[in-house]
Amino acid sequence: MPTVDIDPDELRELTGHSDKSDDELRDDLFSLGLEYEGETDEGHFELEFAPDRLDRLSVEGIARSLRYDYGDDRGVYVPSTNDPEWTIEVEDTPPERPYVTGAIVRGLDLDESSLDSLIQLQEKLHATMGRKRAKGAIGVHDLTMLKGGAANVTASTPPDEAVGDLDSPAAGPAGEDDEREAVEKTITYTGIDPDSEEFVPLEGDRAMTPAEVTEEHHIGVEYAELVAEMDRVPAIYDSIGLFSFPPVINGKRTEVDTGSRDLFVEMTGTDQWTIDHMLSIVCYALDARGGTVEEVTVEYTDGAPGEYAGQSFVRPDLGTKTKTVAHDRIETILGVDLDKREIGDLADRAGLDASETDTDGVYEFEIPPYRVDVLHPIDVIDDLGRAYGFNTLEPRYPDVSTVGGRHDRSKLERATRDVLVGLGFEDLLNFYMISEEENYERLQVTPGSDAVGGGDPVTIQEPYSEDYTMLRSWALPSIMLVLENNTHRSYPQDLAEIGLAAEVDESTNTNVAEHRTVAAAVARHDASYEDAKTRLQAIAANFDKELATPPIDHPTFIDGRTAAVELDGETVGVVGEIDPAVLVEHDLEVPVAAFEFRLDALE
């Protein structure tokens, strides 16, 4: 899960609760769903957060949630904004990255900690909503270092005298100065030939073209693949020239430091909704630091690629949305009786606003713009439950005439798990979601193949993170990830898991076939095929199953040291020694023998 580093002293300052001890803060954070993972060398809290609450990627967002939890803040808060003076003109952009948004934030008093927090928020948003900058990338610039005017995308940086003319425009006829001032506050987002223009990138000491940046600059090399297939790369200009090469790197001219007071925030991407909501989260964080948000006009020319050609927007979009929820559904889900006043109070403490609709017993909840996670009425009910306090809910037996018991499948899982632990395996509980790269590519498996684990992927339509884009088709990739993360620990490492696997199956009414799978791996200096097979034999014997292991080929395992797992004559899995190429891919320096088979084969 993603983590953020938070200075507890800064958290106390932003919440206004300087009397809170570290232990009290940790308890309060846990009630919000933020788990304490330890401390950094600087004494900062390392917190694991749910990837849906992206507004808590910064100390400002966490402090806001705590103030609501403490009752210091109530209801929906929307920052006030000044009318737009600046315009972003969008013309002839690369079709692969057609969208842009932006805002001005003035009057900031940045110190090292607030600047670090802004940088952390930027990078965490890149990693989550931005899909490592592929879907959305953020650029933050010192506004005072920008010069307005129609961007000249065919010329290099103007000579010094031209810059001087912009600083002190000559007097003209009445009205011309006002018109010139309006023109000067224009930024252009466009596309250019990667070899045509030069700028000095961040951490650079000389002017470079975008092509040179992607080949020679260490940040450019890291993100070069994002623009590698583009004939024309994204570029952002003011009247002086190129100052940003999204999504790769900003220019050094507009670098932000502790002396910056006014910021220009721009975001480019492949989806307007995504970058607009990323911008809302950043604007709320800067508002919490005392900044004043100023709107920006975004104008798409008639010939701009994408669905907004010829349209104009004012950003940031800090409009609220609403969700309608029935009173009885709230009580049914939470299991408590609440009156209208209590519903309103819980909504206020959750940072929402509740109002009654014309339909009796139905409320309309107003949702602030930074809450990108509220997609369904159940999300509103979850917020109300957290405000009520899940720990204060009293458990009770359901009003039914039967008493629950363990399912037969659960009994089988428990019995299998007991056998695995008895054989020396450490029991794992991994996420059932994974990325397609981890599930297939890193284990050399082709999606849609007949190999164990090769089923067609059950993908997530709108994943929050590129690390979790599908339901895994087998459990061995999850175990390999654990081994990869455990290379600093001693060997042997014998790991096993019983869990869910799924693949597309159009013969089912849901188009998805799910099954429980048993996977295990033996990692040690002398691990061999025999180590895995002897453990399989012990499992089969415990369940009175006849085991056979005819040789087969499987891309994850070494040829000649791989076999099918047959129980009572039915092929249900695979066993063998992991291919060295897979070991190298996972940074493993010891042999690994593994097996995986369907749990229902033991019934």
Side-chain angles (χ1 to χ4, degrees):
M1 295 285 282
T3 60
V4 290
D5 297 339
I6 301 299
D7 183 349
D9 292 332
E10 196 169 17
L11 192 57
R12 279 184 275 263
E13 178 183 349
L14 289 171
T15 57
H17 285 262
S18 58
D19 57 326
K20 289 278 186 179
S21 68
D22 284 0
D23 288 339
E24 289 173 319
L25 277 180
R26 282 190 283 265
D27 290 341
D28 296 338
L29 291 168
F30 184 77
S31 70
L32 295 178
L34 293 160
E35 296 193 25
Y36 176 76
E37 293 293 309
E39 291 189 3
T40 67
D41 293 338
E42 296 79 18
H44 295 179
F45 289 175
E46 188 175 4
L47 304 175
E48 180 181 277
F49 73 97
D52 56 336
R53 287 304 301 266
L54 300 178
D55 56 296
R56 293 174 177 168
L57 285 170
S58 66
V59 65
E60 296 87 1
I62 294 175
R64 183 191 313 115
S65 293
L66 283 176
R67 289 197 303 271
Y68 279 118
D69 192 54
Y70 296 153
D72 298 334
D73 290 347
R74 300 180 67 83
V76 172
Y77 169 71
V78 178
S80 59
T81 58
N82 292 337
D83 293 337
E85 295 182 1
W86 286 76
T87 298
I88 303 176
E89 292 185 349
V90 187
E91 57 181 37
D92 200 22
T93 56
E96 300 91 341
R97 201 174 190 87
Y99 304 117
V100 68
T101 192
I104 304 294
V105 183
R106 298 184 185 272
L108 291 164
D109 185 13
L110 297 175
D111 56 18
E112 289 292 345
S113 60
S114 57
L115 184 57
D116 288 344
S117 178
L118 175 60
I119 293 171
Q120 177 176 233
L121 175 61
Q122 179 180 6
E123 292 308 314
K124 295 297 182 180
L125 283 173
H126 280 161
T128 51
M129 286 189 77
R131 305 290 192 272
K132 295 185 179 178
R133 306 192 188 186
K135 194 173 185 180
I138 307 168
V140 183
H141 309 271
D142 190 326
L143 183 67
T144 61
M145 302 308 296
L146 294 177
K147 296 294 183 181
N152 178 2
V153 301
T154 60
S156 300
T157 302
D160 293 340
E161 37 287 312
V163 176
D165 289 341
L166 289 171
D167 288 331
S168 304
E176 280 191 14
D177 287 350
D178 293 338
E179 182 179 352
R180 185 183 186 91
E181 176 66 13
V183 172
E184 284 177 355
K185 294 186 176 181
T186 300
I187 300 297
T188 300
Y189 175 48
T190 186
I192 62 171
D193 186 295
D195 293 306
S196 64
E197 299 290 329
E198 289 187 340
F199 73 114
V200 181
L202 284 174
E203 301 182 24
D205 55 6
R206 64 180 178 87
M208 306 172 72
T209 65
E212 290 174 329
V213 168
T214 58
E215 294 170 357
E216 303 174 22
H217 194 287
H218 68 98
I219 297 176
V221 171
E222 182 178 357
Y223 295 102
E225 64 178 14
L226 297 177
V227 296
E229 302 300 321
M230 297 182 185
D231 295 329
R232 297 165 58 255
V233 297
I236 301 180
Y237 283 82
D238 63 357
S239 64
I240 295 178
L242 177 65
F243 69 87
S244 182
F245 171 29
V248 179
I249 195 169
N250 294 338
K252 193 171 186 176
R253 168 162 62 98
T254 59
E255 183 176 5
V256 175
D257 57 29
T258 54
S260 303
R261 295 293 175 264
D262 301 335
L263 304 181
F264 169 55
V265 183
E266 47 83 4
M267 301 187 189
T268 64
T270 60
D271 178 72
Q272 189 75 47
W273 184 95
T274 297
I275 58 177
D276 281 340
H277 282 79
M278 290 169 67
L279 180 63
S280 296
I281 293 172
V282 173
C283 286
Y284 265 85
L286 294 176
D287 173 80
R289 293 291 185 176
T292 300
V293 179
E294 180 182 299
E295 296 172 336
V296 168
T297 303
V298 180
E299 294 183 351
Y300 288 91
T301 61
D302 292 337
E307 60 183 301
Y308 302 110
Q311 299 186 42
S312 177
F313 303 102
V314 173
R315 291 295 185 262
D317 181 4
L318 299 181
T320 59
K321 57 185 177 182
T322 59
K323 294 292 179 185
T324 302
V325 189
H327 186 105
D328 59 353
R329 189 176 188 191
I330 296 172
E331 291 186 332
T332 300
I333 297 296
L334 296 183
V336 294
D337 297 327
L338 300 167
D339 59 33
K340 295 178 181 178
R341 181 192 59 81
E342 290 173 314
I343 294 290
D345 180 66
L346 292 176
D348 283 346
R349 291 185 51 224
L352 314 175
D353 283 340
S355 59
E356 294 186 64
T357 65
D358 295 336
T359 304
D360 187 41
V362 177
Y363 306 99
E364 185 174 80
F365 291 88
E366 186 177 9
I367 316 298
Y370 61 84
R371 290 297 305 277
V372 299
D373 59 298
V374 180
L375 305 176
H376 188 275
I378 199 70
D379 297 319
V380 175
I381 298 174
D382 179 71
D383 278 359
L384 299 179
R386 287 192 179 277
Y388 183 88
F390 287 133
N391 291 336
T392 64
L393 297 176
E394 296 182 1
R396 65 188 185 194
Y397 281 107
D399 187 17
V400 294
S401 59
T402 60
V403 176
R406 189 173 290 277
H407 192 277
D408 287 344
R409 188 191 69 193
S410 179
K411 293 177 181 178
L412 179 61
E413 284 188 23
R414 170 174 282 191
T416 307
R417 188 170 284 111
D418 288 344
V419 173
L420 289 167
V421 172
L423 291 171
F425 287 106
E426 184 174 350
D427 187 36
L428 300 179
L429 179 62
N430 285 309
F431 294 121
Y432 296 157
M433 293 178 64
I434 200 169
S435 71
E436 293 173 65
E437 179 186 10
E438 300 289 355
N439 191 84
Y440 298 115
E441 184 179 334
R442 299 189 72 199
L443 274 79
Q444 306 181 148
V445 173
T446 302
S449 65
D450 294 332
V452 173
D456 290 322
V458 180
T459 56
I460 310 303
Q461 186 171 1
E462 292 290 340
Y464 274 110
S465 168
E466 66 178 14
D467 294 328
Y468 306 103
T469 60
M470 61 169 287
L471 292 176
R472 66 187 186 184
S473 61
W474 57 328
L476 187 57
S478 300
I479 293 180
M480 294 301 294
L481 282 173
V482 175
L483 289 173
E484 181 178 14
N485 292 326
N486 278 359
T487 54
H488 62 292
R489 299 188 179 277
S490 60
Y491 291 95
Q493 294 181 28
D494 297 349
L495 308 177
E497 180 184 4
I498 302 174
L500 179 76
E503 60 184 56
V504 172
D505 184 353
E506 295 181 356
S507 66
T508 64
N509 59 352
T510 62
N511 286 336
V512 176
E514 299 179 1
H515 68 275
R516 311 296 286 188
T517 187
V518 182
V522 178
R524 56 186 68 190
H525 75 280
D526 57 351
S528 66
Y529 169 83
E530 288 74 18
D531 292 311
K533 182 177 177 179
T534 53
R535 286 161 174 79
L536 262 179
Q537 290 172 326
I539 296 171
N542 269 275
F543 289 90
D544 296 324
K545 297 292 180 179
E546 183 178 344
L547 173 69
T549 53
I552 61 169
D553 293 329
H554 191 288
T556 303
F557 299 88
I558 299 175
D559 292 342
R561 301 183 188 180
T562 310
V565 176
E566 291 185 359
L567 293 176
D568 288 347
E570 182 181 0
T571 301
V572 295
V574 63
V575 57
E577 294 182 27
I578 300 295
D579 190 286
V582 176
L583 299 179
V584 171
E585 174 65 28
H586 290 81
D587 295 326
L588 298 177
E589 298 179 356
V590 297
V592 177
F595 60 79
E596 181 158 351
F597 63 91
R598 294 177 63 102
L599 175 67
D600 54 15
L602 297 177
E603 292 178 346

